[in-house]
Amino acid sequence: MKLKDIRKPAFPWFGMDIGGTLVKLVYFEPKDITAEEEQEEVENLKSIRRYLTSNTAYGKTGVRDVHLELRNLTMCGRRGTLHFIRFPTHAMHRFIQMGRDKNFSSLHTTLCATGGGAYKFENDFRTMADLELLKLDELDCLIQGLLYVDSVGFNGHPECYYFENPSDTQNCVKQPCCLENPFPMLLVNIGSGVSILAVYSKDNYKRVTGTSLGGGTFLGLCCLLTGCETFEEALEMASKGDSTNVDKLVKDIYGGDYQRFGLQGSAVASSFGHMMSKEKRDSISKEDLARATLVTITNNIGSIARMCAVNEKIDRVVFVGNFLRINTVSTKLLAYAMDFWSKGQLRALFLEHEGYFGAVGALLELLKSSEDP
Amino acid sequence: MDKSITLPPDEIFRNLENAKRFAIDIGGSLTKLAYYSTVQHKVAKVRSFDHAVKEAQEDPLYEISVQEEITARLHFIKFENTYIETCLDFIKDHLVNTETKVIKATGGGAYKFKNLIEKKLKLKVDKEDEMSCLIKGCNFVLRNIPHEAFVYAKHADSEFRFQNTHPDIFPYLLVNIGSGVSIVKVESEDKFERIGGSSIGGGTFWGLGALLTKTKRFDELLQLASKGQHTNVDMLVKDIYGGAYGSLGLTGDLIASSFGKSATTDKEFSKEDMAKSLLHMISNDIGQLACLYAKLHNLTRVYFGGFFIRGHPVTMHTITYSINFFTKGEVQALFLRHEGYLGAIGAFLKGAEEDNPNQYSWGENYAGSSGLMSVSPDLNPMQRARSGTFDMLEMDRLERQLVNLPLLQDPSSYIPDTVDLTEDALAREYWLYCFEEALDGVVKRAVASQRDQPEAAERAEKFRQKYCHKLQTLRHQPFAYGSLTVRSLLDTREHCLNEFNFPDPYSKIKQRENDMALKYYQKVVKSLDELNWDQRQFALVRGLLAGNVFDWGAKAVSDVLESDPEFGFEEAKRQLQERPWLVDAYNEWIERLKGPPHKCALFFVDNSGIDIILGVFPFVRELLSRGTEVVLASNSGPALNDVTNSELQILTERIADMDPIIQTAVKEDRLTLVQSGSSSPCLDLSRLDKVLATVVRERGTDLVIIEGMGRAIHTNYYARLNCESLKLAVIKNSWLAERLGGKIFSVVFKYEVPAKA
């Protein structure tokens, strides 16, 4: 028993993904701690566990997504709960300070980190908190994490879902599904920016392209246009707005459909096109602007993803990333765009743990590194 | 804005009284008007006398008469929508001879101004689909205007790198960036398909830009953008990674998230920075989509147009950057010189189908066209002051349909011109100076050619001003009419001379010289016949070269000719460089002549007088005697003292009268005269008379001879043909001779045999 234990990494088990806007942290809370273990457990380890599991918010900006936690999970022979925590990247220094205050470096654990911040903050971790990061590639982590979460499922339910009747707003319903035999898939990761990967197997993938018009663009433009400050606020406004007051539609130019090219009158001809006129600029609401920004960014991602899928000859497009969090406007729009423009050839798939796969992948690396000594 | 401008009518709506058939393209801010007119202008004709009746020795060889000729011209004028009413009024007042009942209209504004147009012009507005007009116009300019397309390189020596038009213009991708983006694949004249598009386009830049910066005008937004720093607003790869994302090859400066900093930083952003970030965001997005579509449809020619691009260096730069990035340089972003006119040209063509404009070849009239960027105040304050914001394009219908020489090795990579003066600043300086220096002489000769007409001096002065102005424009904007070359400078001068009714200033000089040279023909031939074979071959080549010294196009020679008219054939031979020549393939040529005769030789001839009569004809005679058929290609219209096709016909008749070898060859159709289709002192082998191409093919031409500086040095020096070729010239310009490593009157004798496949 003891011998086997040695192979396991020491607690606490963290996986971290430091993105451009958000830091995603997964924490495995062992639920099978024996009395003996409990006694041996050092005080600060205990306090970290208690701090993380007894709160759902940390400081002003940290949040634990309780609804996403994976219960009764067995990882590396231990049973427990996987917690999902996020906080803004600009709070990274406060986080590192906390690591120093809690004397994290004394815990003999490896901090596995991915995302650009693993590189950017590496030196800060070292100098401020005497912590050495194990840096991991973000796309590797994303894929490993995604495949893992999909394989263990979401507390007995499927992790994956799609929309039935995506082209019919009345009857468009979310349907769970299995990502059985997932390859090849086009994986579209929408964070601050967007990366698009063609994944052929567990360890065979390539980055096809990316775009700088992503979640950061949506939020950035919304902040400038409406004065809002958070993603939640921006989405809330967007849900109430009407983008057709801001965008110029095909029918605004041609009076109806543009039949020569088979364009529907309701299609957007020019995003923000109405805003060329002062009169229209004076007559729209912040909500309309937020909605138009959301629709513009989403449609553009859909369009690029669809072209990549066709070029790569892949018919399954999986959308992940925190841009899709609490954002049914975008998920439905993407589902519609894939279906409509491909005439039913492409299917958009979504995953419940949207933006956390990189962090999960980093945690898996921690467990893997100690499994094969 | 001042809506009551006074139009300088003779400069802008030219030839309106002869206009028929109108089309108009009204965009968001600019109106483009197109019409067709017939232009009456003078041409010099030569006519042979009836020699049976007139045999007096002192009578000239042929008579020259100036006749009125009517040619077709297309006019395109671009102006700001603000002037539309003034312009319509002006047109109404000057439109006298038209039977037109309708005006073809396209563009977003056509609907808005429909009533105004119908009321003012009493013409019915007939709307045409915007995109089909655009494509039709695009096909037309690509087919008819060499150097229409260019690559934009902001930091290169010359920002505009003009492209050779591929003989087959299809297929291509047209990315039209208006308020939205349309991506159209064009496969043939009538077959095109909108394969995609995007709603993020010029309207997004304008609309979002106006919201973010409170700046209303599109141009002002672009100005803001050109002063901004996008890195203050965008989240870069290095903002996330601290440096590059090395394993994916993403550099640190790459934009990871457009406007990403405004989401996370709580601060004020400058208008300039936001506008710049927006410009990058939209340009990159369009570039990316264009690349994805180009890849999917396997297309490498991608043209960009629409108001977002239209003459704006800032957007051309960002789009070019984006295309380079996304295709890793495999696809180049191409732009069009007359992009703004495509819709108007297309609409016009749709209304003019009964005139079959696509059956003809058209040529840009440099005299009547404003150059690229003519209305850009930054680039050309002079032009703006002169004609308001009016930009013009004129296309002349060419008498003949023009095609490639079938013997070109690779028509798609053929570049006629030897030196691109757009890129070679030193050469540009020299030649512009040279043409300025020569201008007085040209004016003098133009007046002298029309002594019987008292107002000739006044017209000649107008010609001087026009050409002088063109040269000044080209000094500041060498790219105004495509690549600047010695050929384009010469052609522009010819166009300006024609503009002021000096169709052939050298007609009398040519007549006198032809007459004089004919008197020596028999003597020259006789003395050649007395030589043995080796001596004769060398004498023939030397004669050809010596004849080529007589060239009014070269300043050094025209000076001598003018001061010493007795400067004779023998004198010219003495001036020639001794062998070895600057380029000397004479031995190879002689070895070849010892072999079997060529089947058929195509000879592009140069000057009148001694050159054609005492240089070319004896040489041709020798080829004919060897059993080689000869096709003599001469200019269709006059240029300097070059012999024209109609003059050559008379000369050939006269020589045939004296020389049985020539006579028999003409009778047996072994000596044929064809027109080149050109009126230029230079030669573009990709734009030659269709008849010439047919003859060349039918006769199995296996030797091409190109003579003279204009045709063999300034152009075609590097032209590669599928058959043997002889390029020969005497360098009559010391600057050029020096450049080539020689002295004035150096000889180029280039004999080339294509590598065996």
Side-chain angles (χ1 to χ4, degrees):
Chain A
M1 196 68 196
K2 270 265 173 210
L3 267 176
K4 210 177 168 190
D5 277 358
I6 287 168
R7 289 207 188 148
K8 288 176 191 164
F11 286 122
W13 292 355
F14 282 113
M16 186 158 53
D17 176 5
I18 312 168
T21 314
L22 280 178
V23 181
K24 284 75 67 175
L25 189 70
V26 293
Y27 167 66
F28 183 81
E29 174 203 1
K31 293 277 199 181
D32 55 358
I33 299 176
T34 58
E36 190 188 351
E37 263 182 319
E38 177 112 37
Q39 273 197 333
E40 280 177 20
E41 197 174 30
V42 292
E43 198 46 47
N44 57 351
L45 183 58
K46 220 172 275 176
S47 98
I48 287 171
R49 178 152 53 91
R50 257 186 248 119
Y51 174 70
L52 289 176
T53 56
S54 59
N55 292 304
T56 58
Y58 315 95
K60 274 186 199 150
T61 50
V63 173
R64 181 156 61 87
D65 284 314
V66 183
H67 68 286
L68 289 180
E69 68 183 31
L70 295 176
R71 294 180 296 273
N72 240 333
L73 195 65
T74 306
M75 288 190 99
C76 215
R78 298 300 299 257
R79 200 175 45 76
T81 301
L82 194 59
H83 297 279
F84 296 87
I85 298 159
R86 61 186 153 87
F87 59 90
T89 306
H90 62 71
M92 197 63 212
H93 283 130
R94 252 176 292 153
F95 177 81
I96 299 173
Q97 271 161 19
M98 193 174 75
R100 182 191 56 198
D101 298 344
K102 302 229 177 230
N103 204 9
F104 210 90
S105 59
S106 67
L107 290 172
H108 307 293
T109 183
T110 314
L111 199 48
C112 283
T114 186
Y119 297 81
K120 187 179 175 183
F121 296 105
E122 182 185 20
N123 201 39
D124 295 336
F125 272 99
R126 190 180 295 137
T127 55
M128 291 168 67
D130 192 25
L131 277 169
E132 216 40 65
L133 293 185
L134 178 61
K135 302 193 297 291
L136 299 162
D137 181 79
E138 66 172 299
L139 300 181
D140 289 340
C141 287
L142 170 68
I143 292 166
Q144 300 316 318
L146 182 149
L147 293 173
Y148 174 78
V149 175
D150 181 67
S151 72
V152 299
F154 186 15
N155 299 325
H157 300 284
E159 167 69 13
C160 184
Y161 65 92
Y162 71 99
F163 289 94
E164 209 170 59
N165 308 317
S167 298
D168 174 1
T169 33
Q170 300 298 312
N171 298 305
C172 172
V173 277
K174 181 175 166 180
Q175 287 289 353
C177 70
C178 262
L179 198 61
E180 259 180 311
N181 191 15
F183 309 113
M185 69 172 157
L186 196 76
L187 182 56
V188 183
N189 184 32
I190 317 174
S192 313
V194 182
S195 272
I196 300 180
L197 322 176
V199 188
Y200 302 102
S201 75
K202 200 165 149 298
D203 351 81
N204 180 16
Y205 71 89
K206 65 170 182 194
R207 183 179 189 271
V208 180
T209 189
T211 164
S212 69
L213 283 83
T217 314
F218 163 65
L219 185 54
L221 280 175
C222 264
C223 293
L224 293 171
L225 294 171
T226 70
C228 72
E229 281 177 352
T230 65
F231 184 67
E232 288 76 4
E233 234 183 298
L235 277 183
E236 175 66 20
M237 277 202 274
S239 68
K240 292 180 200 149
D242 180 357
S243 59
T244 62
N245 294 332
V246 178
D247 295 341
K248 205 175 245 184
L249 307 185
V250 168
K251 67 177 173 210
D252 296 325
I253 301 174
Y254 294 98
D257 296 353
Y258 188 11
Q259 275 157 354
R260 176 78 179 76
F261 285 144
L263 289 175
Q264 289 181 310
S266 60
V268 183
S270 173
S271 297
F272 288 83
H274 277 323
M275 298 298 93
M276 289 186 275
S277 125
K278 183 175 188 310
E279 208 177 40
K280 291 260 166 102
R281 281 201 296 276
D282 292 341
S283 73
I284 38 98
S285 69
K286 288 181 173 184
E287 285 76 13
D288 293 342
L289 287 172
R291 179 65 165 232
T293 310
L294 187 60
V295 168
T296 301
I297 301 295
T298 307
N299 274 336
N300 189 60
I301 295 169
S303 178
I304 293 171
R306 186 179 62 84
M307 284 304 297
C308 290
V310 177
N311 269 339
E312 300 299 323
K313 300 180 179 60
I314 298 174
D315 57 13
R316 202 169 2 191
V317 187
V318 182
F319 292 93
V320 297
N322 266 321
F323 173 66
L324 300 175
R325 192 172 65 79
I326 56 167
N327 185 357
T328 45
V329 172
S330 291
T331 47
K332 284 188 175 174
L333 207 51
L334 287 170
Y336 167 78
M338 290 304 108
D339 183 71
F340 180 82
W341 292 106
S342 75
K343 301 185 176 73
Q345 296 298 298
L346 294 176
R347 171 174 279 191
L349 298 170
F350 304 93
L351 297 167
E352 299 284 0
H353 287 81
E354 292 122 1
Y356 282 111
F357 301 114
V360 174
L363 172 62
L364 292 173
E365 278 301 313
L366 170 74
L367 305 184
K368 197 166 103 190
S369 64
S370 44
E371 263 171 10
D372 1 84
Chain B
M1 197 166 296
D2 181 17
K3 293 188 187 183
S4 58
I5 50 150
T6 334
L7 299 173
D10 53 327
E11 282 188 37
I12 293 166
F13 293 101
R14 299 188 349 139
N15 216 26
L16 200 56
E17 49 288 350
N18 295 316
K20 55 174 196 172
R21 226 163 258 135
F22 285 83
I24 195 162
D25 173 11
I26 309 178
S29 56
L30 292 174
T31 298
K32 282 77 69 175
L33 183 78
Y35 58 92
Y36 171 97
S37 80
T38 44
V39 187
Q40 211 170 24
H41 62 97
K42 294 198 165 59
V43 284
K45 293 270 183 195
V46 294
R47 201 171 54 123
S48 184
F49 288 117
D50 185 350
H51 295 293
V53 186
K54 287 190 84 162
E55 271 298 345
Q57 272 294 319
E58 62 274 14
D59 277 341
L61 182 61
Y62 48 77
E63 67 176 345
I64 306 161
S65 62
V66 172
Q67 293 174 11
E68 293 284 335
E69 198 179 69
I70 291 178
T71 54
R73 181 174 284 176
L74 294 179
H75 303 255
F76 303 98
I77 301 126
K78 184 162 70 182
F79 49 87
E80 283 176 29
N81 287 355
T82 355
Y83 301 137
I84 200 162
E85 201 160 345
T86 319
C87 289
L88 290 175
D89 281 333
F90 181 85
I91 294 166
K92 185 187 66 188
D93 293 344
H94 289 76
L95 202 57
V96 282
N97 292 330
T98 188
E99 291 160 13
T100 304
K101 298 275 187 291
V102 294
I103 177 166
K104 289 280 176 191
T106 187
Y111 185 77
K112 193 172 150 196
F113 290 98
K114 184 172 183 279
N115 290 336
L116 184 73
I117 298 168
E118 295 197 332
K119 196 183 92 200
K120 293 260 180 205
L121 295 187
K122 311 265 185 293
L123 296 177
K124 191 176 162 293
V125 170
D126 189 6
K127 271 206 75 178
E128 286 288 341
D129 173 67
E130 209 173 329
M131 197 54 73
S132 356
C133 289
L134 214 56
I135 307 290
K136 232 180 169 43
C138 194
N139 293 340
F140 185 81
V141 294
L142 285 176
R143 194 176 292 128
N144 288 291
I145 306 187
H147 290 174
E148 175 61 30
F150 62 89
V151 165
Y152 184 78
K154 189 183 176 185
H155 301 295
D157 285 344
S158 74
E159 287 169 83
F160 305 86
R161 287 214 310 276
F162 295 94
Q163 304 294 297
N164 247 9
T165 314
H166 197 279
D168 186 5
I169 61 171
F170 305 110
Y172 65 86
L173 204 62
L174 179 66
V175 181
N176 190 56
I177 316 173
S179 46
V181 181
S182 281
I183 301 177
V184 185
K185 177 186 179 183
V186 186
E187 284 174 287
S188 70
E189 185 60 42
D190 300 301
K191 193 176 173 207
F192 64 89
E193 186 191 356
R194 184 185 192 272
I195 54 173
S198 166
S199 67
I200 300 186
T204 315
F205 178 71
W206 195 342
L208 248 179
L211 288 168
L212 291 170
T213 68
K214 313 276 179 268
T215 303
K216 288 172 208 150
R217 288 174 51 101
F218 180 72
D219 290 8
E220 287 167 25
L221 276 168
L222 281 181
Q223 282 223 311
L224 281 182
S226 63
K227 285 180 264 170
Q229 274 295 333
H230 75 101
T231 52
N232 293 334
V233 184
D234 290 341
M235 186 184 282
L236 309 184
V237 166
K238 69 178 171 203
D239 293 321
I240 302 176
Y241 272 81
Y245 186 175
S247 62
L248 285 182
L250 304 178
T251 61
D253 288 325
L254 198 70
I255 305 172
S257 175
S258 295
F259 287 89
K261 278 183 187 149
S262 57
T264 53
T265 325
D266 205 12
K267 67 165 198 184
E268 289 285 307
F269 296 93
S270 83
K271 288 178 180 186
E272 288 82 1
D273 294 349
M274 287 190 289
K276 184 62 173 282
S277 170
L278 187 61
L279 178 66
H280 276 298
M281 173 180 110
I282 288 165
S283 300
N284 286 337
D285 193 53
I286 294 169
Q288 180 170 29
L289 276 171
C291 292
L292 286 167
Y293 280 101
K295 191 179 164 201
L296 185 63
H297 292 264
N298 205 14
L299 297 169
T300 50
R301 274 174 276 168
V302 187
Y303 300 103
F304 287 85
F307 82 73
F308 184 69
I309 297 293
R310 201 150 302 160
H312 299 298
V314 204
T315 57
M316 288 195 283
H317 175 62
T318 51
I319 288 283
T320 300
Y321 177 86
S322 167
I323 293 287
N324 273 340
F325 175 78
F326 284 109
T327 67
K328 299 181 178 76
E330 275 171 34
V331 174
Q332 285 188 315
L334 296 168
F335 305 96
L336 300 170
R337 274 206 288 142
H338 300 101
E339 191 278 319
Y341 287 112
L342 302 187
I345 295 174
F348 174 81
L349 292 175
K350 284 192 166 238
E353 261 147 17
E354 61 189 75
D355 283 338
N356 281 324
N358 268 331
Q359 283 194 349
Y360 296 93
S361 289
W362 298 77
E364 181 178 7
N365 183 340
Y366 295 138
S369 302
S370 334
L372 184 64
M373 304 272 163
S374 73
V375 295
S376 164
D378 297 345
L379 281 165
N380 195 359
M382 186 174 62
Q383 187 107 350
R384 190 180 176 101
R386 195 176 133 266
S387 57
T389 49
F390 288 73
D391 184 270
M392 285 167 290
L393 165 65
E394 288 183 3
M395 303 278 293
D396 284 331
R397 191 173 82 195
L398 307 176
E399 293 306 308
R400 332 276 302 180
Q401 204 174 347
L402 304 182
V403 297
N404 269 312
L405 178 68
L407 296 167
L408 275 179
Q409 210 170 69
D410 177 15
S412 61
S413 69
Y414 167 72
I415 298 169
D417 307 285
T418 307
V419 179
D420 183 347
L421 303 180
T422 335
E423 290 182 3
D424 189 334
L426 270 180
R428 178 168 73 237
E429 266 314 299
Y430 171 75
W431 286 108
L432 285 170
Y433 166 78
C434 208
F435 276 84
E436 264 165 11
E437 283 291 290
L439 191 50
D440 278 343
V442 177
V443 169
K444 218 167 87 188
R445 230 157 4 248
V447 178
S449 73
Q450 298 183 358
R451 281 197 207 289
D452 47 337
Q453 295 178 42
E455 45 30 290
E458 198 184 315
R459 270 187 288 122
E461 190 49 39
K462 280 188 182 163
F463 153 75
R464 179 211 299 278
Q465 281 170 13
K466 181 125 198 174
Y467 190 58
C468 204
H469 180 260
K470 291 276 169 196
L471 290 175
Q472 276 174 31
T473 304
L474 288 167
R475 206 177 275 281
H476 296 113
Q477 297 157 265
F479 50 77
Y481 300 95
S483 286
L484 183 66
T485 59
V486 174
R487 177 168 62 109
S488 71
L489 285 167
L490 284 164
D491 289 352
T492 306
R493 192 166 72 188
E494 296 298 324
H495 292 180
C496 291
L497 280 167
N498 278 326
E499 193 63 37
F500 294 99
N501 271 323
F502 293 105
D504 192 0
Y506 289 85
S507 55
K508 294 216 173 75
I509 295 171
K510 288 189 287 184
Q511 184 192 35
R512 201 170 62 231
E513 287 175 352
N514 284 334
D515 207 22
M516 192 182 76
L518 272 177
K519 293 188 177 108
Y520 289 94
Y521 178 75
Q522 276 167 311
K523 197 174 147 202
V524 166
V525 166
K526 186 162 170 282
S527 70
L528 284 166
D529 282 345
E530 282 161 5
L531 302 172
N532 69 32
W533 190 86
D534 282 305
Q535 291 170 330
R536 190 167 71 245
Q537 299 313 315
F538 188 59
L540 283 167
V541 168
R542 260 175 68 88
L544 205 50
L545 292 166
N548 198 245
V549 173
F550 293 85
D551 182 352
W552 287 84
K555 198 177 174 298
V557 179
S558 61
D559 286 349
V560 182
L561 279 172
E562 218 145 2
S563 62
D564 179 13
E566 294 304 314
F567 184 79
F569 195 38
E570 293 309 314
E571 177 70 23
K573 283 185 191 163
R574 275 196 294 277
Q575 293 275 359
L576 280 185
Q577 182 190 19
E578 290 300 321
R579 287 193 64 198
W581 294 321
L582 184 56
V583 176
D584 193 337
Y586 180 74
N587 293 345
E588 288 82 353
W589 170 244
I590 289 302
E591 279 314 301
R592 173 62 188 86
L593 286 185
K594 288 174 185 161
H598 295 93
K599 173 140 193 348
C600 172
L602 168 67
F603 200 136
F604 288 98
V605 300
D606 189 8
N607 307 307
S608 302
I610 291 174
D611 188 353
I612 182 75
I613 295 166
L614 304 182
V616 174
F617 263 98
F619 192 88
V620 165
R621 189 175 184 268
E622 181 77 11
L623 286 174
L624 290 167
S625 308
R626 279 169 57 81
T628 302
E629 290 179 19
V630 177
V631 177
L632 288 180
S634 54
N635 268 4
S636 300
L640 298 173
N641 66 328
D642 291 3
V643 64
T644 63
N645 184 254
S646 47
E647 289 159 354
L648 189 56
Q649 272 171 10
I650 295 170
L651 295 181
T652 310
E653 268 172 43
R654 291 303 305 271
I655 291 171
D657 288 346
M658 297 185 274
D659 185 338
I661 294 182
I662 300 293
Q663 190 164 47
T664 320
V666 171
K667 221 174 263 170
E668 293 174 354
D669 205 22
R670 286 190 298 114
L671 174 60
T672 318
L673 308 184
V674 293
Q675 313 194 17
S676 66
S678 153
S679 307
S680 165
C682 295
L683 179 64
D684 179 351
L685 295 176
S686 66
R687 278 167 77 81
L688 292 175
D689 194 315
K690 207 175 179 180
V691 176
L692 184 152
T694 313
V695 171
V696 160
R697 220 179 278 119
E698 282 172 2
R699 306 247 162 150
T701 304
D702 53 357
L703 172 66
V704 173
I705 305 169
I706 308 177
E707 186 210 7
M709 253 190 3
R711 291 176 183 78
I713 306 289
H714 291 318
T715 54
N716 298 309
Y717 191 67
Y718 299 115
R720 302 177 74 87
L721 302 175
N722 280 329
C723 65
E724 292 170 46
S725 65
L726 207 50
K727 296 166 187 169
L728 43 100
V730 179
I731 313 295
K732 287 154 290 191
N733 168 299
S734 50
W735 184 88
L736 184 63
E738 225 164 89
R739 262 234 165 170
L740 295 168
K743 290 198 184 97
I744 190 154
F745 297 122
S746 289
V747 170
V748 170
F749 188 90
K750 202 176 183 190
Y751 168 62
E752 289 163 305
V753 183
K756 289 267 179 326

